[in-house]
Amino acid sequence: MNLIADLHMHTLASGHAYNTLMEMVKKSAEKKLQVIAITDHGPQMPGASHEYYFGNLLILPDYIYDVRVLKGCEANILNDGSLDLPEYRLENLEFVAAGIHPEAEFDLTEKKDITKSMLATINKSYVKMITHPDNPKFPVDFDEISHAAYENNVILELNAGSFDKFKIGRRGVEEVTLKYLQAIKKYNVKISINSDAHYIDEIGRTSGLEKLVQKVGIKEENILNNNKERLLKYLNLK
Ligand SMILES: [Zn+2]
Ligand SMILES: [Zn+2]
């Protein structure tokens, strides 16, 4: 599997990642990535940037070191499924990813309630990807999420960071991710295998998730980050 894009990474602006945007892009170029998304945490994450950081991202050029750099965010899904950035900011970003983080006020515990929040997020027109929906700490109904993601052209992520063996409080549980992938396959959802890098060496990591993807039999054409033209077309970007 030749992955040419990494749609989830954090810079110093997240408050708990360790490189500048330029360092991240340079390393991505060295790793022969063609497209990356800069997805810093939304303002509810402790130490994250003010909303104006996300507004001003648009001053960046499309290409840096020949890498297509998507101006994005990893917004925090709040209990009611809304996000922690104003809608006009989200509408202006190229790549809005959203995920549940307990550090950012999300405190629902029931599967049906968490599913309802995530469905409300998926229904928002500017949301392009849900990050780590297979985190067992926040269980969701994978059938409902996959069906909604398909209907709304939202990418579901395979998050390599969740499976990093050194990570404290790691989220990844293989059995849960296999169930998640089966629903993805059933509903023909587009996926992206992303690093969730918080340090340059992590860019492009997959933590072996491509093996699970192959095991379940996800079609090549549904893996969005293996083809630049298909990815940009799907996102309606140039
Ligand atoms: Zn996250
Ligand atoms: Zn992240």
Side-chain angles (χ1 to χ4, degrees), residues 71-90:
K71 278 73 91 179
C73 65
E74 184 184 20
N76 293 295
I77 299 179
L78 307 177
N79 284 352
D80 64 357
S82 65
L83 301 178
D84 62 340
L85 279 165
E87 298 221 315
Y88 76 98
R89 295 264 186 237
L90 295 163

PDB file of all heavy atoms in Angstrom, residues 71-90:
ATOM      1  N   LYS A  71      -5.067  23.293   4.905  1.00  0.00           N
ATOM      2  CA  LYS A  71      -5.238  24.097   6.105  1.00  0.00           C
ATOM      3  C   LYS A  71      -6.457  23.566   6.869  1.00  0.00           C
ATOM      4  O   LYS A  71      -7.595  23.715   6.414  1.00  0.00           O
ATOM      5  CB  LYS A  71      -5.452  25.569   5.743  1.00  0.00           C
ATOM      6  CG  LYS A  71      -4.157  26.314   5.473  1.00  0.00           C
ATOM      7  CD  LYS A  71      -3.500  25.963   4.157  1.00  0.00           C
ATOM      8  CE  LYS A  71      -3.971  26.880   3.045  1.00  0.00           C
ATOM      9  NZ  LYS A  71      -3.308  26.555   1.745  1.00  0.00           N
ATOM     10  N   GLY A  72      -6.173  22.950   8.004  1.00  0.00           N
ATOM     11  CA  GLY A  72      -7.264  22.278   8.701  1.00  0.00           C
ATOM     12  C   GLY A  72      -7.253  22.461  10.197  1.00  0.00           C
ATOM     13  O   GLY A  72      -6.613  23.368  10.755  1.00  0.00           O
ATOM     14  N   CYS A  73      -7.979  21.589  10.844  1.00  0.00           N
ATOM     15  CA  CYS A  73      -8.047  21.578  12.303  1.00  0.00           C
ATOM     16  C   CYS A  73      -8.511  20.193  12.732  1.00  0.00           C
ATOM     17  O   CYS A  73      -9.032  19.432  11.922  1.00  0.00           O
ATOM     18  CB  CYS A  73      -9.060  22.611  12.816  1.00  0.00           C
ATOM     19  SG  CYS A  73     -10.752  22.237  12.348  1.00  0.00           S
ATOM     20  N   GLU A  74      -8.262  19.880  13.985  1.00  0.00           N
ATOM     21  CA  GLU A  74      -8.957  18.752  14.612  1.00  0.00           C
ATOM     22  C   GLU A  74      -9.819  19.391  15.696  1.00  0.00           C
ATOM     23  O   GLU A  74      -9.373  19.601  16.833  1.00  0.00           O
ATOM     24  CB  GLU A  74      -7.993  17.717  15.205  1.00  0.00           C
ATOM     25  CG  GLU A  74      -8.760  16.500  15.756  1.00  0.00           C
ATOM     26  CD  GLU A  74      -7.876  15.464  16.455  1.00  0.00           C
ATOM     27  OE1 GLU A  74      -6.735  15.787  16.872  1.00  0.00           O
ATOM     28  OE2 GLU A  74      -8.341  14.313  16.604  1.00  0.00           O
ATOM     29  N   ALA A  75     -11.032  19.735  15.289  1.00  0.00           N
ATOM     30  CA  ALA A  75     -11.935  20.394  16.235  1.00  0.00           C
ATOM     31  C   ALA A  75     -12.417  19.368  17.254  1.00  0.00           C
ATOM     32  O   ALA A  75     -12.420  18.164  16.986  1.00  0.00           O
ATOM     33  CB  ALA A  75     -13.109  20.989  15.475  1.00  0.00           C
ATOM     34  N   ASN A  76     -12.807  19.858  18.402  1.00  0.00           N
ATOM     35  CA  ASN A  76     -13.317  18.980  19.448  1.00  0.00           C
ATOM     36  C   ASN A  76     -14.829  18.844  19.323  1.00  0.00           C
ATOM     37  O   ASN A  76     -15.543  19.843  19.246  1.00  0.00           O
ATOM     38  CB  ASN A  76     -12.969  19.546  20.826  1.00  0.00           C
ATOM     39  CG  ASN A  76     -11.468  19.518  21.069  1.00  0.00           C
ATOM     40  OD1 ASN A  76     -10.867  18.449  21.149  1.00  0.00           O
ATOM     41  ND2 ASN A  76     -10.847  20.696  21.127  1.00  0.00           N
ATOM     42  N   ILE A  77     -15.293  17.598  19.314  1.00  0.00           N
ATOM     43  CA  ILE A  77     -16.734  17.341  19.324  1.00  0.00           C
ATOM     44  C   ILE A  77     -17.222  17.577  20.752  1.00  0.00           C
ATOM     45  O   ILE A  77     -16.690  16.985  21.700  1.00  0.00           O
ATOM     46  CB  ILE A  77     -17.045  15.893  18.876  1.00  0.00           C
ATOM     47  CG1 ILE A  77     -16.550  15.669  17.438  1.00  0.00           C
ATOM     48  CG2 ILE A  77     -18.541  15.590  19.007  1.00  0.00           C
ATOM     49  CD1 ILE A  77     -16.778  14.245  16.904  1.00  0.00           C
ATOM     50  N   LEU A  78     -18.192  18.462  20.898  1.00  0.00           N
ATOM     51  CA  LEU A  78     -18.753  18.743  22.224  1.00  0.00           C
ATOM     52  C   LEU A  78     -19.975  17.841  22.446  1.00  0.00           C
ATOM     53  O   LEU A  78     -20.414  17.141  21.518  1.00  0.00           O
ATOM     54  CB  LEU A  78     -19.101  20.231  22.333  1.00  0.00           C
ATOM     55  CG  LEU A  78     -17.913  21.169  21.979  1.00  0.00           C
ATOM     56  CD1 LEU A  78     -18.326  22.624  22.023  1.00  0.00           C
ATOM     57  CD2 LEU A  78     -16.712  20.916  22.901  1.00  0.00           C
ATOM     58  N   ASN A  79     -20.483  17.835  23.641  1.00  0.00           N
ATOM     59  CA  ASN A  79     -21.558  16.883  23.981  1.00  0.00           C
ATOM     60  C   ASN A  79     -22.726  16.901  23.005  1.00  0.00           C
ATOM     61  O   ASN A  79     -23.299  15.856  22.703  1.00  0.00           O
ATOM     62  CB  ASN A  79     -22.093  17.155  25.395  1.00  0.00           C
ATOM     63  CG  ASN A  79     -21.144  16.646  26.480  1.00  0.00           C
ATOM     64  OD1 ASN A  79     -20.158  15.964  26.181  1.00  0.00           O
ATOM     65  ND2 ASN A  79     -21.426  16.965  27.721  1.00  0.00           N
ATOM     66  N   ASP A  80     -23.089  18.079  22.511  1.00  0.00           N
ATOM     67  CA  ASP A  80     -24.252  18.163  21.608  1.00  0.00           C
ATOM     68  C   ASP A  80     -23.867  17.965  20.141  1.00  0.00           C
ATOM     69  O   ASP A  80     -24.700  18.155  19.260  1.00  0.00           O
ATOM     70  CB  ASP A  80     -24.968  19.502  21.796  1.00  0.00           C
ATOM     71  CG  ASP A  80     -24.101  20.688  21.395  1.00  0.00           C
ATOM     72  OD1 ASP A  80     -22.912  20.486  21.028  1.00  0.00           O
ATOM     73  OD2 ASP A  80     -24.596  21.824  21.430  1.00  0.00           O
ATOM     74  N   GLY A  81     -22.619  17.600  19.889  1.00  0.00           N
ATOM     75  CA  GLY A  81     -22.192  17.347  18.514  1.00  0.00           C
ATOM     76  C   GLY A  81     -21.704  18.595  17.793  1.00  0.00           C
ATOM     77  O   GLY A  81     -21.263  18.523  16.650  1.00  0.00           O
ATOM     78  N   SER A  82     -21.791  19.750  18.458  1.00  0.00           N
ATOM     79  CA  SER A  82     -21.228  20.962  17.847  1.00  0.00           C
ATOM     80  C   SER A  82     -19.712  20.941  18.064  1.00  0.00           C
ATOM     81  O   SER A  82     -19.181  20.099  18.800  1.00  0.00           O
ATOM     82  CB  SER A  82     -21.863  22.219  18.446  1.00  0.00           C
ATOM     83  OG  SER A  82     -21.526  22.303  19.810  1.00  0.00           O
ATOM     84  N   LEU A  83     -19.023  21.862  17.393  1.00  0.00           N
ATOM     85  CA  LEU A  83     -17.561  21.900  17.467  1.00  0.00           C
ATOM     86  C   LEU A  83     -17.104  23.171  18.172  1.00  0.00           C
ATOM     87  O   LEU A  83     -17.872  24.125  18.309  1.00  0.00           O
ATOM     88  CB  LEU A  83     -16.967  21.813  16.062  1.00  0.00           C
ATOM     89  CG  LEU A  83     -17.368  20.548  15.281  1.00  0.00           C
ATOM     90  CD1 LEU A  83     -16.762  20.574  13.882  1.00  0.00           C
ATOM     91  CD2 LEU A  83     -16.930  19.292  16.023  1.00  0.00           C
ATOM     92  N   ASP A  84     -15.830  23.172  18.583  1.00  0.00           N
ATOM     93  CA  ASP A  84     -15.341  24.275  19.407  1.00  0.00           C
ATOM     94  C   ASP A  84     -14.693  25.402  18.600  1.00  0.00           C
ATOM     95  O   ASP A  84     -13.830  26.105  19.105  1.00  0.00           O
ATOM     96  CB  ASP A  84     -14.384  23.747  20.485  1.00  0.00           C
ATOM     97  CG  ASP A  84     -13.142  23.096  19.906  1.00  0.00           C
ATOM     98  OD1 ASP A  84     -13.163  22.701  18.718  1.00  0.00           O
ATOM     99  OD2 ASP A  84     -12.142  22.974  20.633  1.00  0.00           O
ATOM    100  N   LEU A  85     -15.121  25.570  17.355  1.00  0.00           N
ATOM    101  CA  LEU A  85     -14.700  26.730  16.563  1.00  0.00           C
ATOM    102  C   LEU A  85     -15.962  27.303  15.915  1.00  0.00           C
ATOM    103  O   LEU A  85     -16.887  26.545  15.603  1.00  0.00           O
ATOM    104  CB  LEU A  85     -13.709  26.317  15.462  1.00  0.00           C
ATOM    105  CG  LEU A  85     -12.253  26.128  15.897  1.00  0.00           C
ATOM    106  CD1 LEU A  85     -11.468  25.367  14.829  1.00  0.00           C
ATOM    107  CD2 LEU A  85     -11.583  27.467  16.191  1.00  0.00           C
ATOM    108  N   PRO A  86     -16.011  28.618  15.718  1.00  0.00           N
ATOM    109  CA  PRO A  86     -17.202  29.206  15.099  1.00  0.00           C
ATOM    110  C   PRO A  86     -17.419  28.661  13.681  1.00  0.00           C
ATOM    111  O   PRO A  86     -16.449  28.356  12.979  1.00  0.00           O
ATOM    112  CB  PRO A  86     -16.877  30.704  15.039  1.00  0.00           C
ATOM    113  CG  PRO A  86     -15.712  30.905  15.939  1.00  0.00           C
ATOM    114  CD  PRO A  86     -14.983  29.614  16.041  1.00  0.00           C
ATOM    115  N   GLU A  87     -18.672  28.542  13.302  1.00  0.00           N
ATOM    116  CA  GLU A  87     -18.985  27.944  11.992  1.00  0.00           C
ATOM    117  C   GLU A  87     -18.302  28.674  10.845  1.00  0.00           C
ATOM    118  O   GLU A  87     -17.832  28.044   9.901  1.00  0.00           O
ATOM    119  CB  GLU A  87     -20.498  27.938  11.777  1.00  0.00           C
ATOM    120  CG  GLU A  87     -21.212  27.100  12.823  1.00  0.00           C
ATOM    121  CD  GLU A  87     -22.342  26.261  12.275  1.00  0.00           C
ATOM    122  OE1 GLU A  87     -23.130  26.811  11.488  1.00  0.00           O
ATOM    123  OE2 GLU A  87     -22.427  25.068  12.644  1.00  0.00           O
ATOM    124  N   TYR A  88     -18.210  29.987  10.890  1.00  0.00           N
ATOM    125  CA  TYR A  88     -17.611  30.707   9.749  1.00  0.00           C
ATOM    126  C   TYR A  88     -16.126  30.379   9.614  1.00  0.00           C
ATOM    127  O   TYR A  88     -15.579  30.371   8.515  1.00  0.00           O
ATOM    128  CB  TYR A  88     -17.872  32.221   9.832  1.00  0.00           C
ATOM    129  CG  TYR A  88     -17.027  32.977  10.822  1.00  0.00           C
ATOM    130  CD1 TYR A  88     -15.880  33.656  10.409  1.00  0.00           C
ATOM    131  CD2 TYR A  88     -17.368  33.015  12.166  1.00  0.00           C
ATOM    132  CE1 TYR A  88     -15.099  34.359  11.313  1.00  0.00           C
ATOM    133  CE2 TYR A  88     -16.594  33.704  13.073  1.00  0.00           C
ATOM    134  CZ  TYR A  88     -15.451  34.375  12.655  1.00  0.00           C
ATOM    135  OH  TYR A  88     -14.679  35.049  13.550  1.00  0.00           O
ATOM    136  N   ARG A  89     -15.481  30.084  10.712  1.00  0.00           N
ATOM    137  CA  ARG A  89     -14.069  29.663  10.634  1.00  0.00           C
ATOM    138  C   ARG A  89     -13.998  28.271   9.991  1.00  0.00           C
ATOM    139  O   ARG A  89     -13.152  28.001   9.138  1.00  0.00           O
ATOM    140  CB  ARG A  89     -13.455  29.558  12.030  1.00  0.00           C
ATOM    141  CG  ARG A  89     -13.353  30.870  12.759  1.00  0.00           C
ATOM    142  CD  ARG A  89     -11.977  31.481  12.588  1.00  0.00           C
ATOM    143  NE  ARG A  89     -11.820  32.661  13.389  1.00  0.00           N
ATOM    144  CZ  ARG A  89     -11.491  33.861  12.894  1.00  0.00           C
ATOM    145  NH1 ARG A  89     -11.317  34.035  11.603  1.00  0.00           N
ATOM    146  NH2 ARG A  89     -11.336  34.893  13.686  1.00  0.00           N
ATOM    147  N   LEU A  90     -14.873  27.387  10.422  1.00  0.00           N
ATOM    148  CA  LEU A  90     -14.855  26.010   9.916  1.00  0.00           C
ATOM    149  C   LEU A  90     -15.164  25.984   8.421  1.00  0.00           C
ATOM    150  O   LEU A  90     -14.531  25.246   7.657  1.00  0.00           O
ATOM    151  CB  LEU A  90     -15.857  25.157  10.697  1.00  0.00           C
ATOM    152  CG  LEU A  90     -15.505  24.985  12.183  1.00  0.00           C
ATOM    153  CD1 LEU A  90     -16.708  24.512  12.987  1.00  0.00           C
ATOM    154  CD2 LEU A  90     -14.336  24.007  12.351  1.00  0.00           C
TER     155      LEU A  90
END
